[in-house]
Amino acid sequence: MEKKIGVYVCHCGGNISDYVDVEKVRQAIEDEGGVMLAKTTMFACSDSNQKDMVDDIKKNDLNGVVVASCSPKLHLTTFGNVSERAGLNKYNYVHANIREQVSWAHSDDKAGATEKAIHIVRAAIAKARFTESLEPNKIEAQKAVAIIGSGVAGMKAAIELSNMDCPVYIIEREFFIGGRVSQWGAMFTTNETGKEVVTRLYNDMIRRPNVTVFTGAEVITNVGSIGDFKLKVKITPRYVKEKCDRGKLQQAIDACPVVVPDEFNFNITSRKAIYHNFPSEYPQAAVIDMKSCTRCGKCESICDNIDFSQKEEILDIHVGSVLMATGFDPYTPHDGEFGYNEFANVVTLPQFKRMIELNENKLMHQGKEVKNIAYIYCVGSRQEEGGNTYCSRYCCTSAIHASLLVKKKYPSVYNYHFNRGIRTYGKQESLYYDSSAQGDIYLQAYEDALPVVTWNGSNSIVKINDILTGGREMEVEADLVVLVTGMVPRAENSVGTLFKLPKGRDKFFNEIHMKLRPVETFIDGVTIAGACQGPKNIMESVNSALSAATKSFSYVSKGELETEPIVAVIDPVLCTWCDACSKACPFDAISMTKDGTKSIALINNSVCKGCGMCLPVCPTDAIELIAYSNNEIESMIDALAHD
Amino acid sequence: MANIDPKFGEALKEYGGVNFNACYNCGNCTAVCSLSTPEDSFPREMVRLSVLGLQDDLKSSLKPWLCYYCGECTTHCPQTANPGELMMSLRRWLTSQYDWTGLSGLLYKSLPLSIIAFVLTTIGVIAFAAYESFNLETIIHFGHYFEMIAIGAVFTFILLPNIIRMWWFVILKPKIQVSFSTYVKSIRELIVHMFTQKRSLGCDDNQVRWFEHLILVFGYLALLFTTVFLDWFSSQNLFVIILGYVESVVIFVVTFDFMGSRIKKNKEINKFSQPSDWFFVIWLFLMGLTAFIVRAFIDLDILETNSWMYLLHLTVLVQWALIIVPFGKWTHFLYRSFAMYFDKVKKMSA
Ligand SMILES: Cc1cc2nc3c(=O)[nH]c(=O)nc-3n(C[C@H](O)[C@H](O)[C@H](O)COP(=O)(O)OP(=O)(O)OC[C@H]3O[C@@H](n4cnc5c(N)ncnc54)[C@H](O)[C@@H]3O)c2cc1C
Ligand code: SF4
Ligand code: SF4
């Protein structure tokens, strides 16, 4: 079909026309092949001009449109929409940038700028001669979502998806759900306990027929892409039947000879190889930890609900979207960091939280009553360049909340907070007030002169040059030093690699855009929620879980997905399947297929992002990118190079 | 190396400190204070030292005396840490530290003890009167001498040693080298501040309060002089008689106004009145009033038949001289003047 192109050259008030002679540009291109109409306009994006464009397109039956104006980042979509409003497929619209690339860049050379603008517009017209109407690719979407991780974020997302009638598989690596929150007693800012929060979520989640919960479960393979993820999930058995006689079970636990550190209590206590974590964690069923079990059989001889014959299972799960909610690890200080693993009375905040839970009337540590507690803030956070430079957000509030708890529970305790500026943002500030008002002492230093912990033979001495007292050296003899440790990504986070999830500089999973696309990832169909994305408290984790649930649901809700039509296409005749393209593709969109007996490359349209990385590596030039074909690009280059 | 003592904060509350632990060191109080200067920066620094319980630093500091409690800092504190009241409580605490007898501290901290002291002095006066068979002439005669002796004794045995202790805390102990001539040259500062409290004029909006204070000080000193040296109650000199009346009226009118504002709590400084503040104004008021009535009774020739009136006046006088002057708020006036003096001395020696 013969091309009828309309061209609009914009003054942009004076932003362009002060340096580019727009009328001269218009005259220079009005006789180009295919150009039916060429106009200048004061503001191309103004309502009145948009209306005129719609009228022009309709009246003249235009099938190509070029606007020479500002950056396509600003108005490509605007003018694409103008075309659609006039009944012209938006892929027939071509944008020419003569502001950022011309008038602003060459304000010192008006004649040169005008000349460059003419070339850029000519190139856009050259491309417009080849444009075609395109329709989005449609792919089938499996209406189900897999959630990986069953902490507060995972559970809240599961409940939300279930409310939207979307089947959910929630896959938890541990034998108990609830994540970190189940480990905390009373929590800021409401004083609800972790157990209460987890119980509420669990009870709500478990009663739903469209939510399937797996514990002791791990995703081991993932093939497919948005709309169609095929996961294999390995389920490790508990070796204890779920319904069993509690009395016998307890006897069996008592009989177990294997004693190992209890990770639930951050190793400040120990447990047996057969153990349970209730009342805090669900399901309320015991489990045998096969890594430490010696198969001595003592428990089995006491309790008949113990079943060593249970077998590992591999399940196939088929979902349209994956929601990642694998949470965080508390930072582990290295040996000697503020006396950690060096002096007996240095613990981390997570350990301290467990100590408050476990000590009833007196706060005891290693047989000694604790009177003076020194909290050292920002351990593992706000480090120098090269370390964890971020702030972990939760820890100031959590430490202060803990100090209020201890003072209430053990009134004779004194709290000393060695901080670097308190960040109890928002409503959490009232806790800071309460803690100061109750007489807690706050001492502050900058990062270049952190507090120093030494040992005087029986206690830790914490020294600081306090900037709130004119930099004077102060010291506190502490019975207990609590390192207020931040959040770090899970040490075992290989599930991210399985999904090729990009990580940020902080090594947490990364979103596409911090503000505008906060739960989407560069892997289409995979969303992220909770603290696997970066430090978050419960409210923030739940907020992101709700938006990730909605986003994941939007991929699968219609049973069908639309993706951009701008993808790579293979010429089966030229392709020799040398494999170079599949190696170059950053999104794993290329695989091998058979064309009769010949091996050729196959593009997965739902994964291909049209980035064009495969094009230059193809030795036989067998790949074209839709809307950026060789013809289009070459004709643009010709137009630019021609005087 | 400073050792932190969080228990001190709890102790200071007994001297009237309110919620100063809530301070988060923003420094607003220091910024709004019209008396704070870069060299003498307060009250935040004093709040900080109090929170940390650095008692030695507090004892050697004169800053609590540099504050005249306009209350601006408290108004502007975002944490309602009441820095102004903290400064006031530090003055009370310092007074108790300067006092070698330790009675100031006891009386500040315990209202029952104060009441017992007042009751005991009342009993003492009545017992003495009974011993003298309620002979008015002897009692008036005694009253006159009591005033002279009390002034001399309280000054020699209580106030002078206390000022020497203050000197030790702020100059000698911190090892500040001061030459004799500096002491002599700075004497002017002591006199001026003692009689005018002129520094408090630096406070915003304080002109009326300063003026009231000024006439109260002069009224009080003049009445003291008139009764002790001009023997007002026995004088026949019309000028002396009228002078005494005027002075006693000035005292009870001004103190009446002070009491009014303490009751209304309409100013920041009056929000947290302590018993010691009340005792001071009430007794000053009673002194003025009873002296006035006694002289009026003499002039109306009815004192003879109403000797209880003189006993009342004498009781107030004894309590004033034995409790409030040596151990109560009256000393603030003295220490403040000396603080100005020592401050000048310190600055000249720096
Ligand atoms: C000491 C401390 C005190 C705190 N106190 C408070 C408080 O008082 N108030 C508050 O609001 N917040 C508090 N927080 C923050 C709170 O713990 C987090 O916001 C919350 O745990 C984040 O939830 P999550 O679901 O994202 O992650 P997590 O709680 O870490 O849960 C993630 C889950 O995913 C599972 N998982 C991980 N990897 C895999 C995998 N590969 N496959 C399957 N499952 C996997 C884990 O086993 C876990 O169950 C505190 C944090 C700490 C460290
Ligand atoms: S929240 Fe507080 S303790 Fe935690 S890293 Fe940030 S500033 Fe440091
Ligand atoms: S204004 Fe209040 S919070 Fe701020 S420094 Fe002064 S006393 Fe502290």
Side-chain angles (χ1 to χ4, degrees):
Chain A
M1 193 177 38
E2 195 208 331
K3 274 285 179 182
K4 290 190 263 178
I5 304 169
V7 183
Y8 299 82
V9 186
C10 184
H11 285 253
C12 194
N15 270 300
I16 295 171
S17 53
D18 284 355
Y19 310 105
V20 172
D21 184 341
V22 289
E23 180 51 30
K24 194 167 169 201
V25 175
R26 193 195 67 79
Q27 284 168 7
I29 54 90
E30 69 183 334
D31 296 327
E32 288 282 308
V35 173
M36 178 164 197
L37 158 167
K39 293 182 171 177
T40 63
T41 163
M42 187 50 78
F43 286 108
C45 55
S46 67
D47 275 355
S48 61
N49 186 64
Q50 290 194 25
K51 257 195 221 104
D52 291 349
M53 282 176 70
V54 170
D55 291 345
D56 285 349
I57 296 169
K58 282 188 182 155
K59 203 160 77 209
N60 300 302
D61 227 355
L62 298 183
N63 55 12
V65 178
V66 172
V67 176
S69 57
C70 51
S71 157
K73 281 213 164 173
L74 227 67
H75 281 314
L76 176 70
T77 327
T78 314
F79 298 121
N81 290 344
V82 169
S83 306
E84 297 259 313
R85 285 209 298 281
L88 177 64
N89 181 287
K90 67 177 176 196
Y91 294 98
N92 290 303
Y93 170 72
V94 181
H95 199 91
N97 178 357
I98 58 165
R99 193 178 73 177
E100 282 81 346
Q101 288 181 0
V102 182
S103 66
W104 284 357
H106 305 291
S107 50
D108 57 338
D109 176 8
K110 293 189 186 178
T114 306
E115 203 48 41
K116 183 172 173 186
I118 292 170
H119 280 84
I120 285 180
V121 180
R122 276 197 188 126
I125 294 167
K127 182 168 181 343
R129 288 195 199 105
F130 290 95
T131 56
E132 282 171 7
S133 301
L134 300 172
E135 293 305 326
N137 287 322
K138 291 201 161 68
I139 49 175
E140 202 188 313
Q142 201 68 37
K143 191 175 169 184
V145 174
I147 297 175
I148 303 179
S150 182
V152 279
M155 287 196 282
K156 192 68 200 178
I159 293 166
E160 199 56 25
L161 283 162
S162 157
N163 281 342
M164 296 187 277
D165 262 344
C166 178
V168 177
Y169 301 98
I170 182 160
I171 300 161
E172 170 57 54
R173 182 164 67 187
E174 300 294 322
F175 288 100
F176 303 95
I177 59 88
R180 297 288 175 202
V181 172
S182 55
Q183 294 172 283
W184 319 139
M187 298 187 302
F188 68 80
T189 42
T190 55
N191 274 334
E192 252 172 322
T193 63
K195 175 179 182 284
E196 282 163 353
V197 170
V198 170
T199 306
R200 194 159 352 139
L201 288 173
Y202 180 75
N203 288 341
D204 191 1
M205 177 175 80
I206 205 73
R207 68 182 169 87
R208 295 163 181 269
N210 57 357
V211 177
T212 314
V213 183
F214 299 111
T215 53
E218 245 181 304
V219 181
I220 49 172
T221 61
N222 155 46
V223 286
S225 53
I226 183 167
D228 182 30
F229 290 99
K230 296 188 187 74
L231 313 179
K232 277 197 193 306
V233 179
K234 183 178 88 182
I235 316 263
T236 313
R238 305 180 96 82
Y239 304 103
V240 182
K241 291 177 197 153
E242 226 166 281
K243 296 262 173 304
C244 81
D245 175 343
R246 288 275 172 90
K248 283 247 179 79
L249 176 66
Q250 194 52 51
Q251 285 173 22
I253 294 175
D254 294 342
C256 174
V258 179
V259 180
V260 290
D262 188 353
E263 289 147 1
F264 185 74
N265 286 334
F266 297 101
N267 302 345
I268 58 172
T269 60
S270 52
R271 63 158 167 81
K272 298 296 181 64
I274 172 169
Y275 71 103
H276 59 64
N277 280 341
F278 44 87
S280 279
E281 281 193 304
Y282 298 91
Q284 300 205 327
V287 61
I288 296 178
D289 154 23
M290 269 304 155
K291 276 187 238 97
S292 42
C293 171
T294 58
R295 300 294 289 265
C296 71
K298 286 222 169 82
C299 57
E300 206 178 6
S301 66
I302 295 173
C303 176
D304 14 296
N305 288 301
I306 286 161
D307 179 2
F308 280 110
S309 72
Q310 289 181 358
K311 288 267 160 340
E312 212 174 78
E313 272 179 275
I314 306 282
L315 299 180
D316 285 306
I317 291 177
H318 201 176
V319 293
S321 171
V322 174
L323 190 154
M324 199 63 76
T326 52
F328 69 99
D329 276 338
Y331 172 79
T332 311
H334 54 75
D335 289 354
E337 186 172 359
F338 298 108
Y340 186 72
N341 272 351
E342 186 181 1
F343 309 136
N345 62 359
V346 180
V347 300
T348 64
L349 180 62
Q351 290 174 326
F352 185 59
K353 289 284 287 178
R354 294 308 303 157
M355 283 173 62
I356 305 174
E357 278 301 285
L358 299 171
N359 284 276
E360 243 342 288
N361 302 317
K362 274 186 191 167
L363 184 61
M364 303 293 289
H365 183 66
Q366 304 198 325
K368 222 175 99 185
E369 189 176 352
V370 174
K371 290 283 181 206
N372 289 316
I373 306 176
Y375 303 83
I376 299 181
Y377 283 61
C378 304
V379 178
S381 311
R382 298 174 69 190
Q383 293 171 326
E384 290 184 348
E385 211 51 54
N388 303 330
T389 50
Y390 54 86
C391 161
S392 289
R393 297 173 67 84
Y394 92 93
C395 19
C396 276
T397 314
S398 182
I400 289 174
H401 183 255
S403 76
L404 286 165
L405 278 184
V406 287
K407 189 82 182 172
K408 196 158 168 222
K409 205 167 170 186
Y410 325 103
S412 58
V413 158
Y414 286 101
N415 296 309
Y416 301 85
H417 302 260
F418 293 81
N419 68 86
R420 284 178 45 199
I422 294 295
R423 297 182 172 178
T424 41
Y425 53 97
K427 293 183 179 171
Q428 302 166 155
E429 177 75 0
S430 67
L431 295 174
Y432 178 31
Y433 178 86
D434 293 345
S435 143
S436 317
Q438 81 175 3
D440 283 11
I441 306 268
Y442 284 82
L443 301 144
Q444 193 174 327
Y446 296 121
E447 65 269 34
D448 55 0
L450 298 175
V452 175
V453 183
T454 52
W455 184 251
N456 71 355
S458 55
N459 270 331
S460 286
I461 305 288
V462 187
K463 267 191 208 153
I464 191 171
N465 288 322
D466 177 35
I467 57 173
L468 304 178
T469 319
R472 264 176 62 182
E473 191 176 60
M474 305 270 172
E475 70 170 39
V476 170
E477 182 172 343
D479 309 311
L480 191 69
V481 177
V482 177
L483 304 185
V484 180
T485 45
M487 291 186 181
V488 291
R490 291 252 171 205
E492 212 303 280
N493 227 355
S494 54
V495 67
T497 323
L498 214 58
F499 287 92
K500 297 215 162 48
L501 279 189
K503 291 177 183 165
R505 277 204 307 175
D506 53 14
K507 309 274 170 38
F508 285 100
F509 295 146
N510 217 1
E511 64 286 319
I512 292 183
H513 188 284
M514 204 187 262
K515 292 174 178 141
L516 301 177
R517 300 176 73 181
V519 296
E520 294 160 77
T521 68
F522 275 107
I523 308 304
D524 283 346
V526 181
T527 56
I528 47 177
C532 67
Q533 185 185 13
K536 289 193 179 82
N537 64 23
I538 295 175
M539 186 185 81
E540 293 155 354
S541 299
V542 166
N543 278 344
S544 68
L546 292 177
S547 32
T550 318
K551 195 69 218 174
S552 276
F553 185 63
S554 75
Y555 297 139
V556 303
S557 57
K558 295 198 212 95
E560 192 184 65
L561 270 169
E562 291 188 347
T563 57
E564 275 283 309
I566 299 176
V567 291
V569 282
I570 304 286
D571 181 336
V573 180
L574 292 179
C575 177
T576 60
W577 184 245
C578 65
D579 202 15
C581 55
S582 95
K583 289 197 189 101
C585 177
F587 301 99
D588 256 357
I590 307 180
S591 57
M592 195 262 285
T593 188
K594 288 279 174 196
D595 184 30
T597 52
K598 189 182 172 203
S599 294
I600 57 165
L602 174 73
I603 308 284
N604 181 344
N605 284 354
S606 51
V607 180
C608 173
K609 292 212 185 297
C611 70
M613 294 292 274
C614 52
L615 270 71
V617 301
C618 179
T620 60
D621 212 0
I623 317 180
E624 284 264 41
L625 193 59
I626 292 177
Y628 295 89
S629 64
N630 286 352
N631 282 344
E632 280 161 280
I633 301 296
E634 279 162 16
S635 67
M636 287 175 82
I637 294 172
D638 284 347
L640 285 169
H642 199 274
D643 280 334
Chain B
M1 177 67 60
N3 273 309
I4 300 165
D5 176 13
K7 293 194 189 76
F8 177 71
E10 290 160 30
L12 201 53
K13 291 195 176 130
E14 299 187 85
Y15 289 90
V18 191
N19 203 31
F20 56 90
N21 283 106
C23 166
Y24 57 24
N25 295 288
C26 64
N28 276 353
C29 47
T30 301
V32 299
C33 175
S34 38
L35 294 177
S36 171
T37 59
E39 305 77 54
D40 278 319
S41 160
F42 62 88
R44 187 204 72 89
E45 189 189 292
M46 291 293 115
V47 179
R48 183 70 185 153
L49 295 177
S50 305
V51 167
L52 296 176
L54 304 183
Q55 297 188 40
D56 285 345
D57 294 78
L58 287 168
K59 262 191 246 176
S60 65
S61 176
L62 291 167
K63 290 181 185 175
W65 300 111
L66 303 185
C67 155
Y68 283 80
Y69 204 174
C70 65
E72 279 293 293
C73 52
T74 294
T75 310
H76 288 90
C77 172
Q79 289 287 88
T80 53
N82 296 298
E85 196 56 32
L86 181 269
M87 295 295 275
M88 186 69 215
S89 64
L90 279 178
R91 289 193 284 275
R92 296 190 191 108
W93 176 78
L94 281 177
T95 307
S96 79
Q97 295 301 303
Y98 302 154
D99 181 22
W100 67 271
T101 65
L103 282 172
S104 298
L106 289 178
L107 295 178
Y108 273 128
K109 283 192 281 189
S110 164
L111 180 60
L113 266 183
S114 306
I115 292 171
I116 290 173
F118 282 117
V119 171
L120 283 180
T121 40
T122 312
I123 294 174
V125 170
I126 295 171
F128 168 75
Y131 176 75
E132 294 291 345
S133 322
F134 295 97
N135 180 322
L136 191 62
E137 205 170 321
T138 340
I139 298 173
I140 293 189
H141 188 67
F142 165 80
H144 184 64
Y145 281 104
F146 170 80
E147 262 187 278
M148 288 194 199
I149 295 166
I151 291 173
V154 162
F155 187 76
T156 322
F157 298 113
I158 314 270
L159 299 180
L160 189 63
N162 289 354
I163 285 169
I164 294 173
R165 275 168 68 84
M166 179 182 184
W167 177 52
W168 156 256
F169 287 139
V170 301
I171 308 246
L172 298 188
K173 205 170 165 216
K175 301 208 171 69
I176 297 170
Q177 300 294 332
V178 182
S179 67
F180 181 73
S181 65
T182 310
Y183 284 115
V184 175
K185 274 189 238 150
S186 312
I187 265 301
R188 205 186 78 93
E189 201 76 8
L190 176 68
I191 310 289
V192 168
H193 281 285
M194 187 172 286
F195 290 97
T196 66
Q197 307 233 345
K198 75 165 193 216
R199 186 180 150 82
S200 77
L201 269 176
C203 300
D204 299 335
D205 302 331
N206 204 23
Q207 278 61 12
V208 176
R209 203 157 66 93
W210 172 81
F211 185 68
E212 281 183 322
H213 258 285
L214 187 72
I215 53 174
L216 192 59
V217 168
F218 278 106
Y220 168 70
L221 293 174
L223 183 64
L224 200 67
F225 185 80
T226 313
T227 47
V228 175
F229 297 105
L230 303 180
D231 202 3
W232 183 36
F233 290 155
S234 313
S235 176
Q236 304 295 327
N237 181 320
L238 189 65
F239 174 75
V240 172
I241 296 171
I242 293 175
L243 184 67
Y245 274 128
V246 171
E247 289 157 356
S248 51
V249 168
V250 163
I251 292 175
F252 74 73
V253 169
V254 174
T255 46
F256 187 77
D257 180 53
F258 283 0
M259 285 195 284
S261 43
R262 281 206 184 273
I263 289 169
K264 279 188 269 160
K265 301 191 176 197
N266 56 355
K267 290 190 196 134
E268 204 65 77
I269 56 161
N270 294 330
K271 292 224 168 92
F272 300 99
S273 297
Q274 290 283 308
S276 56
D277 303 325
W278 280 112
F279 292 148
F280 181 75
V281 278
I282 293 174
W283 257 254
L284 203 50
F285 170 77
L286 290 178
M287 290 253 293
L289 190 65
T290 55
F292 181 88
I293 297 175
V294 165
R295 182 65 228 194
F297 277 23
I298 293 173
D299 289 335
L300 298 171
D301 223 0
I302 52 173
L303 190 65
E304 210 64 47
T305 46
N306 291 291
S307 55
W308 57 270
M309 187 60 228
Y310 184 74
L311 281 187
L312 184 66
H313 173 69
L314 184 61
T315 311
V316 171
L317 189 75
V318 169
Q319 289 166 334
W320 174 259
L322 296 187
I323 302 174
I324 296 175
V325 171
F327 308 116
K329 203 179 173 181
W330 188 91
T331 53
H332 288 201
F333 156 77
L334 189 71
Y335 295 141
R336 201 190 273 292
S337 315
F338 273 92
M340 295 305 167
Y341 174 58
F342 292 142
D343 191 50
K344 177 89 183 176
V345 165
K346 269 169 79 170
K347 291 212 174 95
M348 282 178 67
S349 310

